[in-house]
């Protein structure tokens, strides 16, 4: 059977609910960049380099009997002023790391060999040299499922940050993480499914319920 990252427990959440969970350390193929994802050449080039590398890793693993489903596109998002994600929605100020999760058995050497293989082909992706293998250890997180257009995530994140986290004695830590469970080229905007994940720290226990 093929391993499928989307079937793991930490890829699950329900719309309208915030879930607290421990996310295991996970290896990723990653590429960094900045700017508006809807117009940035850098963003497009990053996606165009990640997928050929991920599929080359998959086929190499399959040849040795370790097949898996290439995971969904994921991204870490951050900025010097977080209001560019919620209040003012200034996409040009966004910074990001695009990622595709890898099974436990995929190594940094596998990633390097995959990059070399892709580089040897005609018309190698422009951002290929920026693709790296790295382990992300997020630990304690809060996540929820957003259904709808990406530009309607702001109110959900505001509620997570201003209401849910303080009520649970949690504070922000690390970078906002999104997991794109739908293909935007094949899915209507109102039906897009996106996991919204935020690493957190527990400062104190929540007050008792009366």
């Amino acid at each position: 059977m093929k391993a499928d990252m989307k079937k793991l427990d930490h890829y699950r959440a329900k719309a309208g609910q915030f879930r607290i969970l421990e996310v295991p350390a996970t290896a990723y193929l990653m590429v960094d960049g900045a700017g508006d994802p809807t117009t940035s050449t850098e963003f497009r080039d990053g996606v165009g380099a990640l997928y050929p590398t991920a599929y080359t890793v998959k086929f190499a693993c399959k040849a040795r009997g370790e097949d898996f489903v290439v995971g969904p596109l994921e991204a870490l998002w951050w900025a010097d002023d977080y209001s560019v994600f919620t209040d003012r929605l200034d996409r040009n100020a966004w910074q990001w790391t695009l990622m595709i999760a890898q099974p436990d058995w995929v190594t940094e050497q596998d990633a390097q060999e995959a990059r070399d293989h892709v580089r040897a082909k005609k018309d190698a992706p422009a951002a290929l040299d920026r693709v790296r293998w790295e382990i992300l250890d997020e630990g304690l997180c809060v996540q929820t499922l957003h259904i709808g257009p990406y530009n309607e995530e702001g109110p959900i994140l505001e509620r997570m940050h201003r209401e849910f986290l303080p009520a649970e004695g949690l504070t922000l830590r690390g970078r906002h993480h999104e997991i794109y469970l739908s293909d935007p080229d094949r899915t209507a905007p109102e039906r897009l499914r996106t996991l919204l994940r935020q690493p957190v720290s527990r400062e104190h226990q929540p007050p008792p319920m009366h």
Side-chain angles (χ1 to χ4, degrees):
M1 293 180 61
K2 295 182 182 179
D4 188 345
M5 300 295 289
K6 294 193 301 297
K7 294 182 178 180
L8 297 177
D9 180 68
H10 56 282
Y11 280 80
R12 296 175 182 169
K14 295 181 179 179
Q17 298 181 14
F18 295 116
R19 180 187 178 197
I20 301 173
L21 72 161
E22 285 282 343
V23 177
T26 303
Y28 285 90
L29 297 177
M30 298 181 173
V31 61
D32 299 322
D36 186 342
T38 63
T39 60
S40 167
T41 300
E42 193 173 9
F43 189 91
R44 185 167 58 250
D45 288 347
V47 174
L50 269 185
Y51 275 102
T53 307
Y55 275 98
T56 301
V57 170
K58 168 197 164 59
F59 294 137
C61 289
K62 182 178 181 180
R64 65 189 191 217
E66 297 175 316
D67 199 7
F68 64 93
V69 177
V70 172
L73 183 67
E74 307 185 28
L76 304 177
W77 299 91
W78 71 99
D80 294 333
D81 180 357
Y82 197 82
S83 69
V84 300
F85 292 103
T86 55
D87 300 331
R88 357 191 225 111
L89 209 63
D90 180 8
R91 292 186 176 91
N92 291 319
W94 292 2
Q95 298 183 67
W96 40 261
T97 298
L98 299 176
M99 313 187 298
I100 297 179
Q102 304 297 291
D104 292 342
W105 60 79
V106 172
T107 66
E108 187 171 9
Q109 182 177 345
D110 291 327
Q112 179 62 57
E113 291 175 355
R115 285 195 304 268
D116 292 343
H117 184 80
V118 175
R119 186 181 295 111
K121 294 183 178 181
K122 184 179 179 181
D123 299 324
L128 185 62
D129 288 338
R130 290 168 31 218
V131 176
R132 68 183 187 280
W133 178 96
E134 186 175 313
I135 293 177
L136 179 64
D137 190 358
E138 293 178 293
L140 187 67
C141 292
V142 172
Q143 70 184 30
T144 189
L145 177 66
H146 170 63
I147 300 177
Y150 303 133
N151 61 8
E152 293 182 2
E153 295 174 2
I156 299 172
L157 297 177
E158 280 284 285
R159 189 157 59 90
M160 178 192 289
H161 296 171
R162 298 183 185 276
E163 298 176 18
F164 183 80
L165 297 188
E168 294 292 329
L170 301 170
T171 57
L172 295 174
R173 172 185 58 82
R175 293 170 177 171
H176 172 67
H177 186 167
E178 297 191 357
I179 302 168
Y180 306 105
L181 301 176
S182 305
D183 182 345
D185 294 329
R186 299 181 180 181
T187 308
E190 65 273 14
R191 299 183 65 185
L192 290 170
R193 296 166 57 84
T194 308
L195 280 181
L196 307 179
R197 178 185 294 167
Q198 177 60 54
V200 294
S201 297
R202 189 177 291 283
E203 298 297 330
H204 56 79
Q205 294 298 318
M209 300 296 290
H210 296 289

